[in-house]
Amino acid sequence: MDKKIVYSGIQPSGSLTIGNYIGALKNFIGLQDEYNCLYCIVDMHAITVEQDPKLLRKNTLDVLALYLAEGLDPDKSIIYIQSHVPQHAELGWMLNTIASMGQLQRMTQFKDKSKRSKEVMAGILNYPVLMAADILLYQTSYVPVGEDQRQHVELTRDLAQRFNSKYSDTFTIPDILTPKVGARIRSLQDPESKMSKSDSDENSYILILDDENAIRRKFKRAVTDSLNNFDYNDEQKALKNLINIYVSFTGESVEEVVNRYRGQGYGKFKADLADVVIEGLRPLQTRFKEIRSDKEYLEKIYTEGAEKASYLANKTLRKVYKKIGFIAK
Ligand code: ATP
Ligand code: LTN
């Protein structure tokens, strides 16, 4: 039997954080042997917020190089750039005709992002419909993402079910895949909000490509609490977040870490956490530098990736057009 499909994407909307790493990127690698995986750089999603064209180009190649540096293997997985496969926009349009405005307006990300902007563009409302198109084009079974994407994956399931019952079985209904620990890494400055690469306070996040000094400085400045009690609970959200980062990098259990640091001040733990993250990111950073400088190699990967993705996307799109009643040419 054919392997099931795994699909995920990351926006080139800035430099990636360890939230992106722990919640998504790090988990992509292990899926490559068991599943047929597609990993996309979703540049069409990124433009739903203001982007500088030069920076968008740079960030797109950065994400591609990070995918490869982390160990995504182009012989096993399809790695490509979303705008190279126009079928995403085409299926997105079809799905827009069955997506309800009310449902889109209830999306948490839409509410957050539209609150922050003076003029709300339609692209930010339709963002999750394009995401549904990404996923459904490839008959995806599993979507490895962070917890913040749960609502979007639910919407994708709804749209797939709606289309299937309107026109007959067409799309596979996908399931979300979130990591046990680290599905929602929080800001180092405000544990109520998620760590985000678009946060204006650079002390709130650690970037995958941050150097040693920046990592030490940011963890040192990370907020904790005044209880001075080393424990893992919801009253100490900031500390809990730091422990989650620690165990995501070392693979230890929360219990082991809590037992080791119990009775010690937060300062020692934060310093050790910085070491763990620096060491954990080092191999990735080294490989990134090598790969990122090889423009020809990157071009070869994304060109071949787009070819393979297009072939699969077309198969689904042709079915969709036929069911809707479009005339085949
Ligand atoms: P932004 O923070 O710029 O609004 P984003 O980082 O949430 O965007 P993407 O870059 O597309 O958006 O996210 C890529 C992946 O990283 C998604 O699977 C998302 O769920 C995951 N992710 C993002 N932030 C976190 C976080 N703080 N904790 C865990 N996973 C995260
Ligand atoms: N919305 C996602 C990025 C994304 C995605 C996808 C993730 C776009 N298309 C398809 C998984 C599958 C985010 O993380 N912000």
Side-chain angles (χ1 to χ4, degrees):
M1 210 181 85
D2 268 355
K3 288 179 182 173
K4 288 191 170 171
I5 309 288
V6 162
Y7 190 97
S8 198
I10 295 185
Q11 301 181 78
S13 49
S15 205
L16 300 199
T17 70
I18 55 169
N20 298 128
Y21 177 70
I22 296 169
L25 182 57
K26 177 172 164 289
N27 315 309
F28 293 174
I29 299 10
L31 298 164
Q32 293 185 109
D33 291 318
E34 201 176 331
Y35 302 102
N36 284 332
C37 301
L38 292 106
Y39 294 113
C40 187
I41 300 140
V42 289
D43 51 355
M44 282 155 60
H45 278 98
I47 60 161
T48 56
V49 297
E50 192 73 31
Q51 298 292 337
D52 168 51
K54 239 191 192 155
L55 208 55
L56 180 61
R57 254 189 297 275
K58 173 192 172 290
N59 287 334
T60 301
L61 295 180
D62 279 359
V63 177
L64 175 61
L66 274 177
Y67 275 179
L68 297 164
E70 175 57 16
L72 291 189
D73 178 351
D75 290 330
K76 292 182 187 162
S77 301
I78 300 179
I79 303 166
Y80 71 105
I81 298 170
Q82 187 185 30
S83 61
H84 291 175
V85 182
Q87 290 88 341
H88 290 244
E90 296 177 58
L91 181 61
W93 177 255
M94 303 304 130
L95 296 176
N96 265 317
T97 65
I98 58 163
S100 100
M101 286 286 283
Q103 202 174 12
L104 296 181
Q105 281 162 338
R106 281 195 296 278
M107 294 288 121
T108 315
Q109 181 184 286
F110 169 71
K111 289 196 275 188
D112 285 352
K113 289 199 172 164
S114 52
K115 242 188 278 163
R116 277 186 258 148
S117 44
K118 289 192 286 296
E119 195 180 8
V120 183
M121 303 301 173
I124 201 78
L125 180 71
N126 295 321
Y127 177 112
V129 181
L130 181 61
M131 176 165 165
D134 299 344
I135 296 168
L136 299 180
L137 260 183
Y138 301 96
Q139 307 297 348
T140 302
S141 293
Y142 301 110
V143 185
V145 281
E147 188 57 42
D148 60 311
Q149 295 303 311
R150 184 174 294 278
Q151 214 185 16
H152 290 164
V153 176
E154 286 295 326
L155 178 85
T156 304
R157 292 167 59 90
D158 273 9
L159 291 175
Q161 272 151 356
R162 201 177 271 205
F163 191 97
N164 285 355
S165 57
K166 192 168 177 189
Y167 298 104
S168 83
D169 249 9
T170 310
F171 295 121
T172 304
I173 312 295
D175 281 307
I176 191 171
L177 216 58
T178 51
K180 281 198 193 72
V181 180
R184 183 180 160 87
I185 297 296
R186 296 159 185 277
S187 154
L188 300 182
Q189 293 302 316
D190 169 19
E192 293 307 322
S193 54
K194 78 160 191 169
M195 182 180 285
S196 163
K197 53 173 132 71
S198 28
D199 199 313
S200 55
D201 178 1
E202 62 166 37
N203 285 317
S204 72
Y205 52 71
I206 307 273
L207 299 177
I208 297 181
L209 298 175
D210 267 346
D211 63 23
E212 261 192 70
N213 289 338
I215 296 176
R216 281 190 214 290
R217 190 183 63 241
K218 290 178 184 180
F219 276 128
K220 211 170 180 176
R221 290 186 188 162
V223 299
T224 40
D225 55 63
S226 50
L227 297 173
N228 235 349
N229 166 40
F230 199 90
D231 206 357
Y232 185 81
N233 61 59
D234 286 328
E235 271 70 70
Q236 295 176 278
K237 272 205 185 119
L239 181 61
K240 184 176 176 183
N241 185 45
L242 297 181
I243 297 173
N244 281 339
I245 297 173
Y246 192 103
V247 301
S248 301
F249 272 87
T250 63
E252 288 171 286
S253 70
V254 167
E255 210 184 1
E256 277 174 286
V257 175
V258 170
N259 286 338
R260 182 164 347 121
Y261 287 95
R262 186 167 278 140
Q264 301 191 49
Y266 298 152
K268 163 83 171 118
F269 172 67
K270 283 185 181 180
D272 289 357
L273 172 60
D275 283 337
V276 159
V277 172
I278 290 164
E279 288 316 314
L281 293 176
R282 200 191 301 280
L284 177 58
Q285 293 184 346
T286 309
R287 281 194 301 272
F288 170 83
K289 276 191 202 121
E290 284 164 25
I291 295 170
R292 183 62 176 87
S293 59
D294 192 346
K295 291 263 164 52
E296 269 171 43
Y297 175 63
L298 294 176
E299 191 179 327
K300 177 174 176 287
I301 300 296
Y302 67 64
T303 309
E304 289 177 3
E307 249 169 61
K308 293 183 206 163
S310 282
Y311 172 78
L312 297 173
N314 256 335
K315 283 214 278 195
T316 302
L317 200 62
R318 270 201 306 271
K319 262 195 230 166
V320 169
Y321 279 7
K322 196 168 161 196
K323 294 200 184 192
I324 286 181
F326 288 171
I327 292 176
K329 58 171 171 125

